[in-house]
Structures are given as C-alpha cells and as structure tokens.
Amino acid sequence: LIHGSIEADQGTVQLPADWRIAQGEQQIRTPEREAIEFVIDGDHHLRSRQKKRAQVDLDDGQAIALLETALNDAGAWSARSRAEQLLTGLGFNVSQWQLPVQQFAGGWQMRLALARALMMPSDLLLLDEPTNHLDLDAMLWLERWLTHYEGTVLIISHDTEFLDAVATHIIHFEGQKLHRYRGNYTQFQRQHSERQRLQEANIAKQEQRAAHLQRFINRFRAQASKARQAQSRIKA
C-alpha cells in the first residue's frame, strides 16, 4: 500500500507528495544485467537523466549543458563508486561485479536486490526481512549503513538482535490498534510488559470497585431509604 503496488479495500494511505520511496525487490525482472549495473539501476533518477543525455541532439549545446548539470546533481560521477561500496559491504568480491545477476544463487540475488534498494536516494526505505540472506559480516555492515541513513526506514524483521541495533521505534499491533513505542526491541519488551502490568492492575482495581458496588446494591436496593444511592451505584 505504501509503495503503491496495491490499493486499499477501504481507508486511505497518506504520504508526503514529494517523498522518494525505495523498496527491496522480491522478484528480479532483469536477471541478465551485470551485477553492478543492476545495482546502479536502483537510482531511477540518475538512470532517467543518463537516458535523456544519450538521446539529446549533439548539436544542441544548451540541452547538453543542462543535462550535464542535472547528471552532476544526480551524483552520476560517484554512482559507480557508491555501487561498489554497497556490493563490497554485502559480501561481493570484485570478480563478481561484472557477472550477470542470473548467475548468482537465490540468496545472493536477494543481496543484489537489497543493494539496489540502498542505491536509490530516498526519503522512505521499505525493508522486508533484510537479514534473511546475510552472513554476520554483511549484517553488521547493514546495521552501520542504516544508522547513517538520513530518511525513514520501515523494517519488518524477526531478527531481534538486528532490531536492537537499528530500530528507534517499534509499532505493535494489539487489540485491533497500533501502539507506537520509542526505543529498540528490547526496550519495547520492557515497556510492553510494564503497560500490561498497569492494565492488569487497573482491571483488578476496577473489578474490586465493581464488587464493592454490587455488594451495596444487593444489600440496599430493596430499602426505600437507600434506593436512590443503590440506583446511582447500578448506573456506575
């Protein structure tokens, strides 16, 4: 819904209109691409500028100048270096950078999809189980990368150690509501346990109060002198 892949059956999703959203692909559509080019493809804005530059009339000096400026602003000259850093961090060696995506096993293809998502300059990054196919070194690298990411990251993960390292807020589904907790997963567990303890104590207190009112009602509802008090307690 957030990425716009499907539409809501009911309700609405509201996002800032100018937000750039990046998401790790679950299915690779260009397996014949070289690994490093596949990763750079994740920067859609850059690729769009490069395509326009390739199509511009060589005699149109003004258009060339404008597009060269746009390419510079899009980080064209550092793109390959950024892609190499992502590939290295996720465990690919130099000899693999030129290989087609289809030559990699499924888990390594998912690493390439992750690198591609990280390549895109974004305001919101959606990651679904990003550590599933990572070894320890790659996971530690990803943790460091995410702590320096300047946008918002929405992560779904069962890896509690990873969440402890990177999460600053936890959203918990409970009682058909969303509850937002500040802190990592361990801090969420403590806060949630304390919330449950307070709720249980409040319930016990309410039950004691209800029992006290019920005893008064049972004892005095038939007495005319106490009827008004009994009715107020029935209402309570």
Side-chain angles (χ1 to χ4, degrees):
L1 283 169
I2 291 173
H3 195 256
S5 302
I6 61 173
E7 295 187 6
D9 295 324
Q10 56 183 316
T12 59
V13 177
Q14 295 179 328
L15 296 167
D18 59 346
W19 258 21
R20 300 164 299 173
I21 302 176
Q23 175 177 258
E25 297 178 34
Q26 301 298 316
Q27 183 177 4
I28 291 177
R29 297 177 178 82
T30 54
E32 71 286 349
R33 288 287 276 171
E34 288 184 2
I36 193 164
E37 295 298 327
F38 173 81
V39 171
I40 297 174
D41 288 346
D43 191 338
H44 305 304
H45 180 70
L46 170 61
R47 286 307 201 200
S48 173
R49 296 296 180 273
Q50 288 177 331
K51 184 177 180 180
K52 288 182 179 179
R53 176 65 181 86
Q55 294 172 341
V56 72
D57 188 335
L58 295 178
D59 296 326
D60 191 342
Q62 183 177 4
I64 290 174
L66 290 172
L67 284 168
E68 288 292 339
T69 300
L71 283 170
N72 186 63
D73 292 342
W77 320 125
S78 65
R80 190 172 184 87
S81 174
R82 287 186 285 129
E84 290 174 355
Q85 291 175 10
L86 292 170
L87 288 167
T88 301
L90 290 171
F92 295 88
N93 59 53
V94 178
S95 65
Q96 295 175 303
W97 295 352
Q98 311 297 330
L99 295 177
V101 174
Q102 60 196 359
Q103 286 193 18
F104 293 91
W108 286 93
Q109 288 189 11
M110 289 300 97
R111 291 195 193 202
L112 288 172
L114 175 59
R116 181 184 171 105
L118 302 184
M119 183 72 189
M120 177 179 172
S122 58
D123 304 291
L124 174 62
L125 176 60
L126 306 176
L127 297 178
D128 184 4
E129 301 288 1
T131 63
N132 268 5
H133 303 286
L134 303 184
D135 56 22
L136 180 59
D137 288 341
M139 185 163 26
L140 293 175
W141 176 87
L142 180 60
E143 289 175 1
R144 290 192 297 271
W145 194 96
L146 290 174
T147 56
H148 290 93
Y149 177 74
E150 295 182 354
T152 298
V153 190
L154 179 58
I155 301 171
I156 300 172
S157 179
H158 67 276
D159 189 334
T160 56
E161 291 185 9
F162 176 70
L163 291 176
D164 273 347
V166 301
T168 60
H169 296 79
I170 300 290
I171 298 175
H172 186 229
F173 294 79
E174 186 176 37
Q176 298 185 340
K177 293 182 180 179
L178 295 177
H179 300 278
R180 185 168 177 262
Y181 294 83
R182 183 180 296 275
N184 62 24
Y185 187 77
T186 297
Q187 292 166 333
F188 151 73
Q189 286 182 307
R190 287 199 294 266
Q191 294 175 65
H192 183 250
S193 295
E194 177 63 13
R195 182 188 183 118
Q196 284 186 312
R197 188 189 68 79
L198 291 174
Q199 286 179 336
E200 289 168 0
N202 188 47
I203 289 171
K205 187 175 180 180
Q206 288 180 341
E207 289 175 345
Q208 290 176 357
R209 173 66 175 161
H212 177 75
L213 292 173
Q214 190 62 52
R215 286 194 296 271
F216 184 94
I217 293 165
N218 293 343
R219 183 176 179 184
F220 295 112
R221 70 189 304 171
Q223 295 184 20
S225 60
K226 298 284 188 178
R228 180 175 296 177
Q229 295 179 42
Q231 284 300 317
S232 69
R233 282 163 174 76
I234 291 172
K235 195 172 185 179

